[in-house]
Amino acid sequence: MADLYDVRGLRLSLADMTRKPLFGAAPRLEILKGLDFTIPQGAVMGIVGGSGSGKSTLGRVLVRLLEPSGGSVRFDGVDITHLDEAALRPLRRRFQMIFQDPMSSLNPRHRVGTLIAEPLKLHGFDDVAGRVARALDHVGLPAGFAARYPHELSGGQRQRVGIARAIALEPDFILADEIVSGLDVSSQAQVLNLLEGLVRELGLTLAFISHDLSVIRRLCSRVMVLHHGVIVEDRATADLFDSPQAAYTRELLDAIPLPDPDQVWA
Ligand code: ADP
Ligand code: MG
């Protein structure tokens, strides 16, 4: 299969304002230190690593909320590394992001129907009402939820709204950043099952950021392990769990008690 993303020598550095001298420029903080990887069309790519390893930063580069400091990012053959906002606009619909905390990403004063409709209108879709209804149906929420406000929903239901909002746009790629981390185990399982079904049904490519290896193992076909802004491993999920190559991967596997995935996710 063709690669949806082709990333070469990706670097990202930020000005470290905490160490900025009174006069002169702040020193640069290297967050991503030359990453090479591809995400094949239709893959479910897990991105795992400890806190501060650069997972969210990498995710924000993939959906071009951040501009790389070096290297290149190609999306479906298009070099998006340094595209400006006007050039990105027609592409933005095609790569969507679902956030960790739906409460902070969903406007609390808007009803669910409006929240899903907004991006559809922004991207010039027709039949917005019909698309909102189908998106709710896809994520297993009753049509009546369109009239509800985010605070009237459970955490799992809010995360479904986040997913509905993304898939309504018919994207090629979804980036999910720690989207089940705030949920209890049974809501986690429901959201992951939903996501897994949608990926298959809609032919999506998914990058799934998590610090939880048992979640990654359940969902992902490939896993990339990040450590201090460097990829220490990038392999098929089964290989990685059977014979982790990098010392850091073995540390991660040892540190986290891995329950039998069949038992947890049955
Ligand atoms: P992760 O998602 O893996 O926990 P992040 O990508 O959020 O990691 O962060 C990687 C590193 O970059 C961390 O050390 C973090 O402190 C730093 N960082 C992220 N965003 C900024 C920022 N806007 N300014 C300064 N440092 C940042
Ligand atoms: Mg993060």
Side-chain angles (χ1 to χ4, degrees), residues 17-216:
M17 299 313 285
T18 62
R19 296 198 351 247
K20 186 193 176 312
L22 197 49
F23 302 102
R28 304 295 290 182
L29 201 63
E30 293 286 328
I31 314 279
L32 303 176
K33 302 170 184 168
L35 310 188
D36 293 289
F37 64 95
T38 59
I39 304 180
Q41 206 107 39
V44 178
M45 175 73 135
I47 301 174
V48 72
S51 173
S53 55
K55 305 182 296 296
S56 294
T57 304
L58 172 57
R60 293 169 71 83
V61 170
L62 290 177
V63 298
R64 267 308 313 273
L65 294 174
L66 286 173
E67 184 176 349
S69 317
S72 67
V73 179
R74 295 179 80 81
F75 172 79
D76 200 16
V78 181
D79 188 339
I80 63 167
T81 321
H82 301 295
L83 288 185
D84 63 18
E85 206 43 51
L88 280 169
R89 193 161 302 137
L91 287 166
R92 287 225 177 267
R93 177 192 66 78
R94 301 181 59 196
F95 37 81
Q96 290 298 310
M97 178 164 179
I98 312 172
F99 297 91
Q100 170 166 10
D101 176 11
M103 223 24 199
S104 65
S105 60
L106 300 174
N107 185 330
R109 287 186 297 275
H110 287 174
R111 295 175 195 272
V112 165
T114 308
L115 290 168
I116 301 173
E118 259 174 2
L120 284 167
K121 288 180 183 160
L122 197 72
H123 288 283
F125 277 90
D126 61 0
D127 183 24
V128 169
R131 287 175 193 276
V132 170
R134 283 196 295 281
L136 281 173
D137 186 48
H138 256 129
V139 299
L141 292 176
F145 270 62
R148 298 206 187 177
Y149 289 96
H151 73 264
E152 299 175 305
L153 310 181
S154 70
Q157 289 166 342
R158 279 200 291 269
Q159 211 46 286
R160 283 168 195 264
V161 172
I163 295 170
R165 202 169 189 233
I167 62 163
L169 295 168
E170 300 177 11
D172 303 75
F173 174 75
I174 290 184
L175 174 84
D177 190 352
E178 302 274 12
I179 64 164
V180 298
S181 304
L183 304 178
D184 61 76
V185 172
S186 97
S187 309
Q188 280 196 3
Q190 286 175 20
V191 169
L192 291 172
N193 283 338
L194 168 69
L195 211 52
E196 197 175 37
L198 287 172
V199 164
R200 230 178 298 124
E201 190 182 335
L202 304 175
L204 290 166
T205 305
L206 178 70
F208 189 87
I209 296 177
S210 179
H211 63 275
D212 186 339
L213 278 169
S214 58
V215 168
I216 295 267

